[in-house]
Amino acid sequence: MAASDPQQAADPEAVKRHPTLFRAIRQRKNPKLRRTDITVTDDRAVKRAVKAASLGNAMEWFDFGIYSYLAVTLGHVFFPSGNDTTQLLSSFATFAVAFLVRPLGGMFFGPMGDKIGRKKVLALTMIMMAVGTFAIGVIPSHASIGLWAPALLIFFRLVQGFSTGGEYGGASTFIAEYAPDKRRGYFGSFLEFGTLAGYVGAAGLVTGLTAILDTGQMEAWGWRVPFLVAGPLGLVGLYLRLRLDETPAFQKLEGGTAHATEAADGVETTAKGDLAKIFRQYWPTLILCICLVGAYNITDYMLLSYMPTYLSDELGYSETHGLLILLAVMVFLMLIISQVGKLSDRFGRKPLLMTGMLGFLVFSLPAFLLIRQGSIPAITTGMLMLGLSLVCMLGTMSAALPALFPTHVRYGSLSVGYNLSASLFGGTTPLVITALISWSGTNLMPAYYAMAAALVGVIAVACMKETAQKPLAGSPPSVETEEEAAELAASQTPDPKF
């Protein structure tokens, strides 16, 4: 790769002979910031974009979450066997299958988002997820059509996984590109608020059904209800996403009249989603992204997806009680997540992420020892210990990850890195933990697995750069008011000398 500084690339003797020329070249490549280079955000547009992206995200994760909470029931319906562990492993293997195609979805939808627009891609992923989830709700059981039942289940899980591949990268890029630099953490936290809301909706509906219906009714028809609800919810999510405004960067690509800045012209007109370029030029950042997301996803899926199954299957705890406790923990996290986003704007992404990673490293074992006690206060305390560690990452990650990559490769790079990691570590978490418990004979394996993930996360956070309150790489500064823009421009202009 060529050196970015012409003075470094040139002959030192030539620089000495022509200092004025090389100074002019440096100034041309790195011009002083002008007022016209600074983006002043439209507060209403930012809030509308954040709301629509977050609500759409909630719909996506409602669809994805219901499979997690019905894993035991689905194992009985689609994988009949005399061995409960085999059924559960088969069900979680099908859960993991959706994650195998997520990187393919990221590679497909990431570049597409740069070509046809963020809004259209986010609407398309919404349609595919809703169709895939609704279809699962109408698949006949194994008793009715034999092996076709699990085959169809796997097919529609693949549809879900492929669509989810374009979700996080698109939604987080959308919010990051709209938000002012000093409040990116706060606005980004609402994306994960949507994730929690989706999980809460799924857990709430499954809890209600398991409380009302007995096991026979749940396996006969009750499990279908949450999947069928995905149809109407998908229409709501689609409506919300179609009302989104495109980011200024993409409107500039289309030749629109968005308030894109001159400083961003170069990167905006080269957004081609070149996957080869991403892997060739940005592989160190991709590895960092994969490590961060891996640590975050393992702990996230362990608590939000696997925990109800752990409580019921490994500890013999009531499914309804386990879901109710998790529901209460998630509602609590929803109440504080935006405050965590504000803290990351004030103190930085790294301190908050490091707090979360160290929390899992130090408190996972004590938390699971408490959960294993079996009493409601002990389980609640243990899950809160894990939840408070997780929310430090939830409230920060959606602002930290988009800032890792420059604008012209952000959507594609983040989609690829996030989904490769989610595929390898996120979706496999329930399957790996269940297998490890079966192999080792100890039900403390989830704690050890989370601690190992957190250790990798601690190293990754130590290696990343602080990005709080700074412009996104490849983008000009973004502020909330004209006064702030004028102040920033004035600070870049030296006082005249007389």
Side-chain angles (χ1 to χ4, degrees):
M1 192 184 299
S4 57
D5 188 344
Q7 189 162 324
Q8 290 177 355
D11 179 0
E13 292 301 319
V15 174
K16 287 180 181 178
R17 287 196 304 270
H18 307 284
T20 307
L21 173 62
F22 281 95
R23 192 182 308 117
I25 292 173
R26 285 199 308 274
Q27 289 175 350
R28 180 72 181 268
K29 289 180 72 70
N30 301 291
K32 293 186 186 302
L33 193 66
R34 297 167 295 173
R35 169 58 195 86
T36 53
D37 294 330
I38 302 169
T39 301
V40 178
T41 59
D42 180 340
D43 190 54
R44 287 176 299 177
V46 173
K47 289 179 179 177
R48 190 164 61 246
V50 169
K51 188 186 300 181
S54 302
L55 287 173
N57 202 48
M59 302 299 174
E60 290 259 2
W61 290 105
F62 170 84
D63 293 353
F64 224 75
I66 51 181
Y67 189 96
S68 308
Y69 301 131
L70 288 169
V72 176
T73 302
L74 293 173
H76 295 157
V77 172
F78 289 100
F79 305 98
S81 163
N83 188 318
D84 284 346
T85 302
T86 302
Q87 287 180 330
L88 188 61
L89 280 170
S90 299
S91 181
F92 278 141
T94 308
F95 178 78
V97 156
F99 285 80
L100 296 179
V101 294
R102 278 183 66 166
L104 299 178
M107 292 177 191
F108 178 77
F109 289 116
M112 185 186 289
D114 290 325
K115 291 175 182 176
I116 69 169
R118 279 80 158 122
K119 180 175 82 168
K120 292 174 184 175
V121 171
L122 289 173
L124 182 57
T125 60
M126 185 78 257
I127 294 169
M128 288 182 65
M129 174 62 84
V131 168
T133 310
F134 184 83
I136 290 174
V138 298
I139 299 173
S141 67
H142 185 279
S144 301
I145 60 171
L147 291 175
W148 280 106
L152 286 170
L153 177 64
I154 290 169
F155 172 76
F156 288 116
R157 286 291 295 160
L158 289 173
V159 172
Q160 284 185 318
F162 192 75
S163 69
T164 307
E167 171 59 27
Y168 187 90
S172 58
T173 294
F174 205 95
I175 292 176
E177 289 180 352
Y178 258 110
D181 296 333
K182 291 185 178 180
R183 301 185 71 196
R184 189 170 294 115
Y186 171 71
F187 285 119
S189 69
F190 283 96
L191 187 65
E192 297 296 355
F193 178 91
T195 300
L196 286 171
Y199 274 126
V200 165
L205 184 53
V206 172
T207 302
L209 286 169
T210 51
I212 296 169
L213 306 176
D214 59 34
T215 304
Q217 291 172 314
M218 275 299 292
E219 291 186 9
W221 59 270
W223 68 269
R224 298 184 185 276
V225 175
F227 290 99
L228 296 177
V229 167
L233 285 181
L235 292 176
V236 173
L238 179 61
Y239 169 74
L240 290 169
R241 292 200 159 173
L242 288 174
R243 291 184 69 242
L244 282 170
D245 295 324
E246 286 290 1
T247 63
F250 187 78
Q251 289 188 44
K252 182 72 173 181
L253 272 179
E254 289 188 311
T257 56
H259 302 294
T261 68
E262 295 172 20
D265 283 354
V267 294
E268 290 168 355
T269 54
T270 57
K272 303 298 183 186
D274 185 351
L275 291 175
K277 181 180 180 182
I278 289 168
F279 284 108
R280 188 172 60 248
Q281 296 185 9
Y282 298 97
W283 63 266
T285 315
L286 268 180
I287 292 173
L288 178 63
C289 178
I290 287 169
C291 291
L292 284 169
V293 174
Y296 157 60
N297 267 342
I298 285 173
T299 51
D300 182 288
Y301 282 97
M302 181 198 70
L303 180 61
L304 302 185
S305 293
Y306 175 72
M307 191 58 75
T309 303
Y310 176 79
L311 291 172
S312 61
D313 216 56
E314 301 299 335
L315 304 183
Y317 201 68
S318 161
E319 283 183 35
T320 304
H321 285 170
L323 273 173
L324 280 172
I325 293 172
L326 179 60
L327 203 59
V329 170
M330 287 194 293
V331 169
F332 174 69
L333 298 187
M334 287 173 67
L335 293 175
I336 64 172
I337 192 168
S338 63
Q339 300 306 312
V340 173
K342 284 183 179 179
L343 287 175
S344 81
D345 283 329
R346 183 175 178 184
F347 297 108
R349 316 289 185 234
K350 291 183 68 169
L352 269 293
L353 289 175
M354 189 63 82
T355 300
M357 299 295 183
L358 289 173
F360 274 104
L361 189 61
V362 174
F363 296 119
S364 287
L365 193 56
F368 271 91
L369 287 170
L370 275 171
I371 290 168
R372 209 165 62 162
Q373 295 296 312
S375 67
I376 290 178
I379 292 174
T380 304
T381 303
M383 287 173 69
L384 271 176
M385 289 167 68
L386 297 173
L388 288 171
S389 300
L390 180 62
V391 80
C392 291
M393 293 187 271
L394 280 173
T396 310
M397 201 66 80
S398 50
L401 292 176
L404 292 176
F405 301 99
T407 304
H408 64 292
V409 293
R410 181 170 298 120
Y411 197 145
S413 299
L414 184 51
S415 294
V416 170
Y418 188 91
N419 289 295
L420 274 174
S421 190
S423 175
L424 291 170
F425 307 110
T428 59
T429 295
L431 178 65
V432 170
I433 291 176
T434 304
L436 285 173
I437 291 173
S438 178
W439 167 74
S440 66
T442 173
N443 52 25
L444 288 175
M445 285 310 295
Y448 299 135
Y449 194 51
M451 290 166 70
L455 183 60
V456 173
V458 166
I459 297 168
V461 173
C463 292
M464 69 180 281
K465 294 178 181 177
E466 182 57 72
T467 57
Q469 299 200 19
K470 297 177 182 177
L472 291 168
S475 292
S478 177
V479 298
E480 290 186 272
T481 64
E482 291 284 353
E483 292 77 12
E484 195 177 346
E487 215 172 280
L488 182 58
S491 70
Q492 301 285 318
T493 306
D495 293 330
K497 294 179 180 179
F498 297 98

